[in-house]
Each structure stands twice: as C-alpha cells, then as structure tokens.
Amino acid sequence: MAVPVSGRLNGQDNSILNEASLPNPDPALDSPTIAMVKDFSPYMVATYVRPSPIMVSGEGCYIWDIENRRYLDFTAGIAVNALGHCDPELSKLISQQARTLMHTSNLYHNPWTGSASKLLVEKTQQSGAFEAVSKIFFCNSGSEANEAAIKFARKAGKIRDPSGQKTGIVSCYNSFHGRTMGSLSATPNEKYQKPFAPMLPDFHYMNYNDVSRIDEFVTDKTCGVIVEPIQGEGGVNVATPEFMQALRDRCTEVGAVLIYDEIQCGLARTGQFWAHGWLPKTAQPDILTTAKALGNGFPIGATLVSEEVARCVVTGDHGTTFGGNPLACRLAHYIVSRLSDPELQRGVLEKEKVFRAGFERLQRKFPQVITEVRGRGLILGVQLSQDPTPVITAARERGLLIITGGVNTLRFVPPLIISEEEIREGLGILEEAMHVVFSHGEQVEGTKGQQEMAQPGR
C-alpha cells in the first residue's frame, strides 16, 4: 500500500532541505503516518518507544512502510526472520494449514506437533550438538521456553535433593532471558527488574566468562545454570570455550542442570545449527531453549531436554493451551528442515566474511569510534566509543534498518538468506550514516527505545 508523502513548500526551513536530501526521511509531522500513529497510540500500552515509520509489507530482505519507503533490513525482526520476509513456501503453508486445522489444544494429538518434535531432535543430533537431546516441549515464545527450562531445572533439583534445598538458579550479567517473572528473575538488569520487584527467590548472578568464580556461584544448592553461548541483547558477547566447559564440569559435579539459551543465537545463525556446536562435545547442555527463527515471525518456542531431564517431568507438571498447535508446528517443521541445511550454514559463514571485511574498512575510516567487532556468523556486534543511536536514525533515513545491543554496540542480525550484494549495499549505507554523524558532525537525533541494557562489568 503506497500513500503519497504530503507536500511541503520549498525553503520553509533547513530541516525541510535536509529531509529532501534524504532517500528515506522519517515521516513528516503532517504525514498520513503520523496521523495514524496519533490515532492508534491512545489505545496501546506504552511498552515500546518506536520510530515513526509504519511497516506494512516485506519481501526477502526488504521491508516497506505505509508511505512506500523501502528499507534493507539488517535486523530480521530481532533475529527472527531467518528466511526473510514473506518466504513464499511459508506463506503457502500458512494458507494451507489455516484452511485445514489451526488449533485443537493439547488435549488431543495432532500430526504436526509430533513430526516437528521428531525432526528437531533428529536434526539436533545429526548436527553434532546436544547429542543427549531426547524430547521437545513446544510453547509460544522464547520467554515461555525459558520459563519451562527454569521449572524443569527446579523439578530436577527437588528429585535430586528431596530436602528441597537445591533450588538456586544462576545466570550471568548482561544476559537477557525474557520478561515473564521467571525469565526476568534470570535477567539481572535493574531497568527491567526494578518496576516488578521483588524477583523470584534464589536467583544468583555472576560475570560472564569469569571461570575463576564459577565454584563460588554454582554450588550443591544450585539446581540450574542458564547461559547464552552468545549474549545478543547484552552486546553480542561470545562465551569462551573455557567458560562453557567449566560451567558444564561444575554442573555435572554438583548435579545441576545446564541450560543453553539459544533463542537469538541458535538455528544456524552462527553457521552451525546450534551456537554451542562450536564448543567441544564435552560442553553440551542438559536443556536448550529456542524460539525467534523457529517460526520466522509466527509465534512458537521450544524447550529441548535430555532423557534425564525428561524423566523428571510428569503429566500435569507443566502445560500450555496454544503451544504446539498444528499451524505453528507445521511451519517449524519446514523451517527446521531449511535451517539445518549444511549449505545454508556454509553460506552464513561466507556472508560473515563480507560483513567483517566491511567492518574492518569502517574501522580504518573511523578508528576513534569503532573499537571492536564481535560475534560469529550473522550475529555480529560493532562496539562504538559513543552513543550509536544517531547512526540508527541516519541509517534508517537512508534506507537501512539496524539495532543496538548492550551499551554503545551496533547489532547486526540480518536474514540468513541475505545476499552478498545486499550486505555490501547495507554497508555502504552504514558508512554514509557514520560519516554524517561522526565526520560531518551533523546533529542527528538518536532513535529512542535503544540502549536498554545496563552498563556491563561488576
């Protein structure tokens, strides 16, 4: 749907001249976009601060707003649209299944919950990651997947220690595990936790990659440890093999469940089916959580468990009304078959090289601004020495969508199907945006709603 931008007289003010020089200026105050935002906003809970464009359609790695501006999407809906926007086969499957059977509740069997479970277990084992995986619990989101993992860890702790003392959950600073009360309690960010305090009891926080203090935090009172192999929201911080192996060894020693949260970094985003596939096989988890790319935009999450953990969970311990419905699981079945393809995964690593070459070029041009590049595959972070939100704005107004992570970090999580040509196109726009912000010194207003993570380091 294309709505013409409302006309404005030339020479009204400098902002109009600046806007006219931009290929994708944010909507004007008298535009149809702003009128629609003002019409709808009074009816929406103010949980997000959004820039003004209203997105209405997408195809592949591009998305269009209501006034027909086109954007190259380096965000993929925050690492969700791994197969891009409006994948033709997914669109067809949605239509077919919506005309067949969408929902029955978990009071009854349906063919797609079982077949998706079987495929996800098989593809995980074939990948060489989480070889002990045995069973799947499907839900509707990443936060729900982590809630299930925390509950399963608590149940396992009660079975291993009938005294009821083995209830501690350990997570890491700069992590993000969700916003429901259990997953929020595992997310040590004051901005997120303080409005809803107190958190659930017996959650403990340690520094990411700090091997020296693992024994202090993970004790015989610990039932579970939840950790991201790559912290996405926290700034694209990559766990060291030494840290993950030490966590695995300590959890085994004290009888705690090790949970890998791969909601953002898993499902081929690192060039392996699971992000921990890069680790030694001796560092595999007992539980793995996933969502985001599992539905490519359709709500679904999953908690993968070993047989030992599965034996701890019995009928009535946990459940869901919508989780595992036929529509979501049919889509997940198709998506898992696509993302488990070794050729797609090899392509992710080749595309990482293109991004890194572009970042190295930018670092040479802006040596005082870009201090580090982190990540693996197509979850990459560019650390800046100053506020990146003006770059977010400048890039968007030139047709590129990017987001932040952590503190002063630009985060890149594009669709995995992105072409090398599209990567270079986006890097060219990014260079122009950084040039405007850091070389020209133009006063570009930062995009609000970014920079949500607390300062790292404790």
Side-chain angles (χ1 to χ4, degrees):
M1 176 169 58
V3 180
V5 181
S6 57
R8 304 173 77 185
L9 296 176
N10 291 330
Q12 275 186 304
D13 55 39
N14 289 333
S15 66
I16 294 174
L17 294 176
N18 290 335
E19 180 181 297
S21 68
L22 295 170
N24 277 40
D26 280 346
L29 293 177
D30 61 347
S31 67
T33 295
I34 299 302
M36 184 177 291
V37 169
K38 289 180 177 179
D39 185 33
F40 292 160
S41 292
Y43 305 98
M44 301 168 64
V45 176
T47 50
Y48 298 99
V49 179
R50 300 176 176 94
S52 52
I54 298 175
M55 305 307 184
V56 294
S57 65
E59 181 179 357
C61 296
Y62 293 92
I63 192 167
W64 285 262
D65 71 14
I66 198 171
E67 298 181 26
N68 209 32
R69 298 175 181 87
R70 189 182 78 159
Y71 305 86
L72 177 57
D73 187 4
F74 274 11
T75 74
I78 315 181
V80 169
N81 301 110
L83 299 179
H85 296 282
C86 300
D87 177 82
E89 185 63 23
L90 274 176
S91 299
K92 184 173 74 174
L93 292 176
I94 290 171
S95 176
Q96 289 177 350
Q97 192 61 39
R99 295 195 306 268
T100 304
L101 183 66
M102 291 175 61
H103 177 75
T104 62
S105 86
N106 283 294
L107 296 175
Y108 309 101
H109 291 289
N110 77 76
W112 289 108
T113 306
S115 58
S117 298
K118 182 172 185 270
L119 185 67
L120 189 51
V121 167
E122 290 175 346
K123 292 299 184 182
T124 296
Q125 292 172 338
Q126 291 169 14
S127 75
F130 196 7
E131 293 175 331
V133 65
S134 172
K135 292 179 173 59
I136 309 293
F137 171 77
F138 281 116
C139 52
N140 309 287
S141 68
S143 192
E144 288 179 65
N146 283 337
E147 290 284 344
I150 291 167
K151 289 178 68 176
F152 295 169
R154 282 268 171 95
K155 181 71 184 297
K158 290 181 180 295
I159 291 173
R160 292 171 182 174
D161 180 4
S163 73
Q165 299 299 306
K166 194 175 185 64
T167 58
I169 300 287
V170 176
S171 63
C172 294
Y173 288 113
N174 298 316
S175 64
F176 184 88
H177 299 293
R179 295 179 186 267
T180 50
M181 282 305 289
S183 60
L184 180 62
S185 297
T187 301
N189 183 313
E190 184 179 8
K191 179 175 180 178
Y192 297 153
Q193 289 187 344
K194 188 175 180 179
F196 308 103
M199 293 294 101
L200 300 183
D202 217 1
F203 279 73
H204 311 276
Y205 314 124
M206 63 177 295
N207 285 330
Y208 197 63
N209 282 333
D210 186 355
V211 175
S212 66
R213 300 188 68 187
I214 287 177
D215 288 1
E216 176 185 342
F217 284 93
V218 184
T219 71
D220 58 2
K221 304 297 184 186
T222 302
C223 69
V225 175
I226 183 168
V227 60
E228 299 161 275
I230 300 178
Q231 292 181 328
E233 298 291 329
V236 194
N237 306 307
V238 181
T240 64
E242 295 77 15
F243 179 64
M244 300 298 267
Q245 184 67 64
L247 281 179
R248 173 68 277 174
D249 292 344
R250 182 60 172 168
C251 285
T252 300
E253 181 182 355
V254 302
V257 170
L258 180 59
I259 304 162
Y260 284 173
D261 177 345
E262 296 211 17
I263 289 163
Q264 184 164 162
C265 63
L267 290 174
R269 184 152 289 279
T270 65
Q272 293 260 12
F273 190 51
W274 296 114
H276 76 273
W278 295 102
L279 299 173
K281 291 184 182 296
T282 51
Q284 293 184 355
D286 304 296
I287 298 177
L288 184 147
T289 58
T290 184
K292 287 189 179 288
L294 187 60
N296 207 68
F298 196 92
I300 185 171
T303 307
L304 292 68
V305 301
S306 68
E307 183 61 36
E308 185 176 1
V309 172
R311 284 197 297 267
C312 298
V313 182
V314 299
T315 302
D317 279 349
H318 194 51
T320 171
T321 297
F322 297 107
N325 67 74
L327 178 53
C329 286
R330 186 173 184 184
L331 300 179
H333 187 279
Y334 170 75
I335 292 163
V336 167
S337 70
R338 287 277 302 274
L339 298 182
S340 59
D341 180 4
E343 184 176 350
L344 179 143
Q345 294 166 17
R346 286 191 293 270
V348 167
L349 297 179
E350 291 303 312
K351 294 164 189 176
E352 176 189 4
K353 294 176 184 176
V354 179
F355 266 110
R356 286 190 177 272
F359 294 152
E360 289 171 6
R361 184 178 67 252
L362 288 173
Q363 194 165 26
R364 290 193 295 270
K365 292 191 174 186
F366 303 96
Q368 303 304 314
V369 177
I370 297 177
T371 62
E372 184 183 8
V373 177
R374 300 187 292 270
R376 188 187 290 274
L378 291 178
I379 176 169
L380 298 168
V382 174
Q383 187 64 48
L384 305 187
S385 60
Q386 51 193 284
D387 180 10
T389 61
V391 178
I392 303 291
T393 302
R396 184 178 64 251
E397 293 200 304
R398 287 160 177 80
L400 176 68
L401 300 180
I402 50 177
I403 53 176
T404 64
V407 177
N408 293 348
T409 307
L410 292 173
R411 182 171 27 148
F412 299 85
V413 283
L416 304 187
I417 61 159
I418 194 169
S419 69
E420 293 185 8
E421 181 181 355
E422 288 167 335
I423 294 171
R424 293 188 182 96
E425 176 191 347
L427 289 172
I429 298 172
L430 176 64
E431 180 176 344
E432 183 181 349
M434 294 185 69
H435 188 67
V436 166
V437 173
F438 299 123
S439 297
H440 280 186
E442 289 187 20
Q443 294 299 309
V444 180
E445 184 177 351
T447 296
K448 297 177 181 178
Q450 306 278 331
Q451 297 285 80
E452 291 197 343
M453 297 300 289
Q455 281 286 347
R458 285 169 170 75

